[in-house]
Amino acid sequence: MYSLMFSFIVLIGFICLILAGCHKRDIRIETRESYLQMLNGLRGIFALEIVVGHVVRNERILLYPLGKFMICSVAYFFFVSAFGMAVSFEKKKNYLSYKFLISKPLYLFIISFIFYLVDMVIDYVCRSDLNYVTPGVPKAFFVTTNWYIWELIGFYILFFCVYKYMPKFRIPLVAGITIILSVVMYYSGFKETYIASSFAFPMGLLFGEYFENVKQFLFSFKGFFMTVTLSIFGMSCFLIKNENVISMVFMRNAIGIATILIIFFACTRYTLGEGQIVIFLSKYSTEIYLSQFVWLRLTESLGWNYMIRLPFVVAATIIMAVLMHPIVHVVRKQCSCRLAKELLIDKK
């Protein structure tokens, strides 16, 4: 009984976050930049969903689907990152100088290491042996840093190489490499998380580079039919008992893509992500993602019940995210300034 009530409270909380500030638009948003801004404004909700999903993914309760939905949330982050980079590539003449490698992959590596050092201190103080200290710094850093960070860095480097040196067929090439690597990783024994959301990155590039064509297609009957088909195809993976490459790679990615398309449709008609709490969460979405793991490991090692664990992890994660934000901001500013200076020199 208590479990059911707790689950309902969490679900109602998510619904309130989504609907806060939501109302029907008097005028449709039309521009690519407006859509990108709207989608960026929802990052906080998806970051929070990932935190909650990590807590409940092994619990056989009403919240269990949130653990499965994490692949859609991660897909959303891949999509928005790629969408933004494709837009910047078109608008900024010298965007892909070698300073890009500083402002994107190196920046992500640096802040991940800073968070690792903080996690290591927490591990040492709590004396819970969360593997931030025991294996030694280099190994522990690479082992404890979440897979998403390494995959996103890989996508940044892939984007840089393809868009800098390939004048044509960039999106098909990125998509082809992504699909091939996902299939190879599946057969190599990588976990579901590495391969279940990856297709969203080339889709984000497609939206950024061919936005008007994509939008026109999606609002046609063919686009609507494709969205419904992807949804049904993706959801069918949960009916398959013996997992295979189709269900693990293609069906799960279909769910993520269908989710993004549904959100895209919703953004056209309704304002989303305008509630104050969502705005607050989106401001700290990067820090929220990176802050959660030490608290997840700590509470799991202590064997806490999920009804105690969930509010503690969410609260500790948000507090840590807010405290770490000034440091992350300084690193981002230093890394971005190098690229900005080069862009300014190029314009002159």
Side-chain angles (χ1 to χ4, degrees):
M1 182 64 181
Y2 290 113
S3 174
L4 189 61
M5 289 177 59
F6 180 82
S7 298
F8 272 120
I9 290 171
V10 173
L11 291 175
I12 290 170
F14 267 112
I15 293 171
C16 291
L17 283 177
I18 295 169
L19 296 181
C22 176
H23 57 83
K24 192 171 182 178
R25 294 182 179 279
D26 297 326
I27 302 174
R28 274 192 184 185
I29 55 172
E30 297 291 344
T31 66
R32 177 182 60 177
E33 287 72 16
S34 297
Y35 273 102
L36 179 58
Q37 182 179 1
M38 172 68 76
L39 295 170
N40 263 318
L42 298 175
R43 291 167 65 97
I45 292 178
F46 286 95
L48 182 62
E49 192 283 325
I50 290 173
V51 177
V52 175
H54 274 129
V55 175
V56 302
R57 60 181 173 176
N58 296 320
E59 305 289 343
R60 299 298 175 178
I61 56 173
L62 188 62
L63 297 176
Y64 175 75
L66 293 178
K68 292 295 184 182
F69 190 79
M70 284 193 295
I71 62 174
C72 300
S73 297
V74 172
Y76 188 84
F77 279 104
F78 281 146
F79 171 80
V80 173
S81 294
F83 192 173
M85 287 193 297
V87 171
S88 295
F89 173 76
E90 181 183 309
K91 295 176 70 174
K92 300 174 182 178
K93 183 178 179 181
N94 202 28
Y95 181 63
L96 286 186
S97 69
Y98 286 100
K99 298 296 175 63
F100 172 88
L101 298 175
I102 297 174
S103 67
K104 290 294 185 182
L106 182 60
Y107 155 74
L108 194 55
F109 182 89
I110 291 172
I111 63 171
S112 297
F113 187 72
I114 291 172
F115 272 87
Y116 162 74
L117 293 177
V118 174
D119 295 343
M120 186 171 64
V121 172
I122 295 172
D123 185 5
Y124 180 79
V125 171
C126 294
R127 299 188 180 278
S128 297
D129 193 16
L130 306 177
N131 291 324
Y132 290 101
V133 178
T134 306
V137 173
K139 182 179 179 180
F141 169 59
F142 287 102
V143 170
T144 58
T145 299
N146 185 252
W147 66 271
Y148 168 79
I149 302 301
W150 305 121
E151 191 159 320
L152 186 57
I153 288 175
F155 274 131
Y156 284 155
I157 295 172
L158 177 62
F159 172 82
F160 175 82
C161 293
V162 172
Y163 272 69
K164 186 172 180 64
Y165 300 110
M166 293 290 294
K168 295 181 179 180
F169 308 112
R170 293 184 293 248
I171 294 175
L173 183 57
V174 172
I177 292 173
T178 301
I179 292 170
I180 291 170
L181 286 178
S182 297
V183 172
V184 170
M185 290 170 75
Y186 167 78
Y187 283 113
S188 300
F190 280 78
K191 294 180 180 179
E192 172 191 350
T193 49
Y194 286 87
I195 56 180
S197 309
S198 54
F199 293 7
F201 188 84
M203 192 181 79
L205 297 179
L206 181 68
F207 268 69
E209 199 164 340
Y210 299 101
F211 179 77
E212 291 300 329
N213 294 332
V214 171
K215 187 176 73 169
Q216 185 177 358
F217 171 77
L218 288 177
F219 287 117
S220 68
F221 174 78
K222 291 180 180 179
F224 177 76
F225 180 77
M226 184 192 73
T227 303
V228 173
T229 302
L230 283 172
S231 301
I232 296 172
F233 177 67
M235 293 296 291
S236 299
C237 71
F238 298 115
L239 302 176
I240 297 175
K241 293 182 179 180
N242 297 319
E243 301 289 2
N244 54 59
V245 67
I246 300 299
S247 64
M248 292 295 289
V249 178
F250 294 94
M251 286 183 168
R252 279 166 169 75
N253 272 285
I255 296 175
I257 291 174
T259 300
I260 293 166
L261 294 180
I262 291 169
I263 293 169
F264 181 79
F265 286 127
C267 286
T268 304
R269 295 290 186 183
Y270 300 93
T271 61
L272 298 174
E274 295 191 0
Q276 291 302 310
I277 296 177
V278 176
I279 294 172
F280 170 82
L281 293 173
S282 295
K283 178 181 178 181
Y284 301 104
S285 60
T286 300
E287 293 88 344
I288 288 172
Y289 191 91
L290 289 168
S291 296
Q292 64 180 301
F293 299 104
V294 66
W295 306 115
L296 288 165
R297 286 171 178 260
L298 177 62
T299 54
E300 185 178 23
S301 70
L302 295 173
W304 288 5
N305 178 280
Y306 73 91
M307 286 189 284
I308 299 174
R309 191 181 177 210
L310 180 56
F312 176 84
V313 170
V314 169
T317 296
I318 292 174
I319 291 171
M320 180 172 170
V322 173
L323 293 176
M324 292 294 292
H325 179 73
I327 299 173
V328 173
H329 178 71
V330 169
V331 176
R332 182 187 292 117
K333 186 176 180 181
Q334 290 299 314
C335 291
S336 299
C337 279
R338 293 178 179 272
L339 179 60
K341 286 179 182 178
E342 187 161 319
L343 290 171
L344 185 62
I345 291 172
D346 184 71
K347 285 182 181 180
K348 291 180 178 180

